[in-house]
Amino acid sequence: MSQTDDARCMRRCLDLALLGAGRVSPNPMVGALLVADGEIIGEGFHHHFGAPHAEVEAIESVTDQRKLRDATLYVSLEPCGHFGKTPPCSQLIIEKAIPRVVIGCGDPNPDVSGKGVAQLRAAGVTVTEGVLEAECLKANEAFIKSHTDGFPFVTIKLAQTLDGKIATSLGASHWITGDKARHEVHRLRSIQDAVLIGEATVTADDAHLTVRHCAGRNPLRVVLDRHLRLSPEAKIFDGAAPTLLFASSSWERLPKAELFRQRGVTVLFVEEHAEELDLRQVLQELHQRHILSVMVEGGSRLSASFIRAGLADKIIMFIAPKLFGGDALSAFAPLGIDMPDQAIHLRFELPRFYGIDMQVVAYIQAQTASPCQAER
């Protein structure tokens, strides 16, 4: 097949892979396609954690297994070559005598990385790597970061007016955006492993942080409450979804922690610096719990803290065609940049519209840590 055909088939693999969004973590999303004589003879994707891998799904979907001996297998991520919850896909490919495999990107998991490809090539399988590699890496950006950096992938989500305000001068923010944008926020929640919010936003909004406007599972809810000031009766502690509460270790003996535990909330204590919880420790704890992706739904202060600490990866901003003006709070006012050359640099994706509201996605470019961050 030509490079153009390979790219077209890999794009179908990516479409299939994304059907597993929100259900496969801590595994990656993977799609697979089998093509023989220019026709698709089978396809599959990883449906949920513990289910058969995409390659197995695709192979089993082929009605005439004899065709596999003349087929090309396309898969968006390197086939595994080890025993995990399922047998190694590389061995199944070899057993089925599939002569060619086209791979989108490698798997950074040290149990997998390079091993599947090596096994296939040792068995005489022709392997082509790196087809739509950038797109395949992006589809599993949280999985990739977890295995390369040991931290969850952090997305900051905010809604603002065209003049950058996230609330009026009186603090009112319901609702800046319309229904379609809010529905998209719920869809985004459903594909995250965790959503994170601070004590101030819980107090202001009494938010549920559950998925209600679309089909999908509730993510883990993570609340940062340094001094355990929140009421255990707040909606976010209603038991509708698993909830983690982080507080300062200086308050570890506070009897109030037991009230949260009685509500089914897991209470964890981390250090604090400059009157803020250590966000690095928070993310390390989430990583230990196999959380790959976190969406921060707090306000401007919490969002700025993640960016200042160099722990945020992406911003999703919903911009409403409205103006608040005046002294209304700006989205990233707490960053307090003094000079243009100190700005946080971003890389934009193409904008999309949800009703009358515009969604802008921006990736945060690598920043040089300040001296105080380096000391931490």
Side-chain angles (χ1 to χ4, degrees):
M1 279 199 171
S2 69
Q3 291 183 351
T4 303
D5 290 332
D6 283 350
R8 185 171 63 249
C9 291
M10 188 58 67
R11 201 164 298 284
R12 174 58 182 164
C13 287
L14 282 168
D15 291 341
L16 290 166
L18 293 174
L19 295 176
R23 297 193 294 272
V24 302
S25 183
N27 280 351
M29 295 178 289
V30 185
L33 191 73
L34 279 156
V35 177
D37 296 325
E39 294 184 1
I40 297 172
I41 61 171
E43 60 182 30
F45 67 97
H46 188 33
H47 287 252
H48 58 82
F49 181 67
H53 288 184
E55 301 93 317
V56 177
E57 283 268 322
I59 289 170
E60 290 183 349
S61 73
V62 177
T63 54
D64 185 353
Q65 293 280 299
R66 293 172 298 180
K67 290 185 177 181
L68 293 173
R69 294 178 176 273
D70 299 310
T72 295
L73 171 66
Y74 294 86
V75 59
S76 57
L77 192 75
E78 176 185 0
C80 64
H82 73 297
F83 280 91
K85 282 192 171 292
T86 60
C89 293
S90 58
Q91 291 303 313
L92 177 62
I93 295 166
I94 293 167
E95 289 169 10
K96 295 294 184 179
I98 297 172
R100 181 173 183 246
V101 175
V102 178
I103 298 169
C105 66
D107 189 327
N109 184 342
D111 292 332
V112 178
S113 184
K115 296 176 183 177
V117 169
Q119 289 173 6
L120 292 172
R121 285 185 169 142
V125 178
T126 299
V127 179
T128 301
E129 299 180 80
V131 175
L132 298 188
E133 183 175 37
E135 292 93 327
C136 291
L137 288 170
K138 182 179 177 182
N140 278 306
E141 57 194 8
F143 177 80
I144 302 292
K145 185 183 180 185
S146 177
H147 284 282
T148 54
D149 295 352
F151 277 92
F153 188 93
V154 176
T155 299
I156 292 171
K157 186 278 298 178
L158 287 166
Q160 67 169 38
T161 59
L162 183 60
D163 56 341
K165 307 302 183 181
I166 62 172
T168 68
S169 57
L170 298 179
S173 60
H174 288 179
W175 294 101
I176 290 177
T177 55
D179 288 343
K180 290 185 178 180
R182 293 200 297 275
H183 287 186
E184 173 61 8
V185 170
H186 282 246
R187 188 196 69 81
L188 289 170
R189 280 181 192 165
S190 75
I191 62 175
Q192 299 288 321
D193 289 343
V195 289
L196 186 148
I197 194 171
E199 173 259 335
T201 305
V202 174
T203 299
D205 298 343
D206 199 13
H208 281 91
L209 285 194
T210 53
V211 175
R212 301 182 302 281
H213 297 318
C214 67
R217 60 102 171 96
N218 289 321
L220 172 72
R221 299 180 293 191
V222 180
V223 182
L224 307 186
D225 182 10
R226 189 159 57 100
H227 294 155
L228 291 179
R229 290 176 174 150
L230 290 171
S231 167
E233 302 301 317
K235 290 177 183 176
I236 202 164
F237 305 121
D238 59 6
T243 308
L244 226 58
L245 175 61
F246 284 92
S248 169
S249 54
S250 63
W251 294 76
E252 191 165 354
R253 297 178 183 274
L254 192 68
K256 189 177 180 180
E258 186 57 33
L259 298 178
F260 288 104
R261 293 191 180 102
Q262 290 173 7
R263 296 271 287 173
V265 177
T266 300
V267 184
L268 299 172
F269 297 91
V270 297
E271 296 176 6
E272 62 174 293
H273 303 285
E275 300 185 345
E276 289 187 348
L277 292 180
D278 189 323
L279 297 179
R280 186 170 292 272
Q281 271 192 278
V282 169
L283 292 182
Q284 285 172 337
E285 181 63 42
L286 295 178
H287 175 71
Q288 291 294 322
R289 293 168 181 265
H290 305 293
I291 298 299
L292 305 188
S293 57
V294 178
M295 187 161 73
V296 178
E297 294 204 47
S300 59
R301 181 177 176 182
L302 186 58
S303 299
S305 294
F306 270 97
I307 293 173
R308 254 195 316 265
L311 297 172
D313 299 287
K314 181 165 72 173
I315 298 169
I316 298 179
M317 182 71 75
F318 292 89
I319 303 173
K322 299 175 182 178
L323 301 172
F324 285 170
D327 296 327
L329 186 62
S330 296
F332 295 103
L335 282 176
I337 301 296
D338 295 320
M339 300 299 293
D341 62 359
Q342 299 171 345
I344 305 298
H345 291 273
L346 309 171
R347 176 174 55 80
F348 284 132
E349 301 276 281
L350 290 173
R352 300 180 65 178
F353 281 87
Y354 292 90
I356 61 172
D357 303 309
M358 181 169 66
Q359 181 201 62
V360 174
V361 175
Y363 283 84
I364 299 172
Q365 303 302 284
Q367 310 293 323
T368 302
S370 68
C372 64
Q373 290 168 359
E375 289 172 6
R376 294 184 189 177

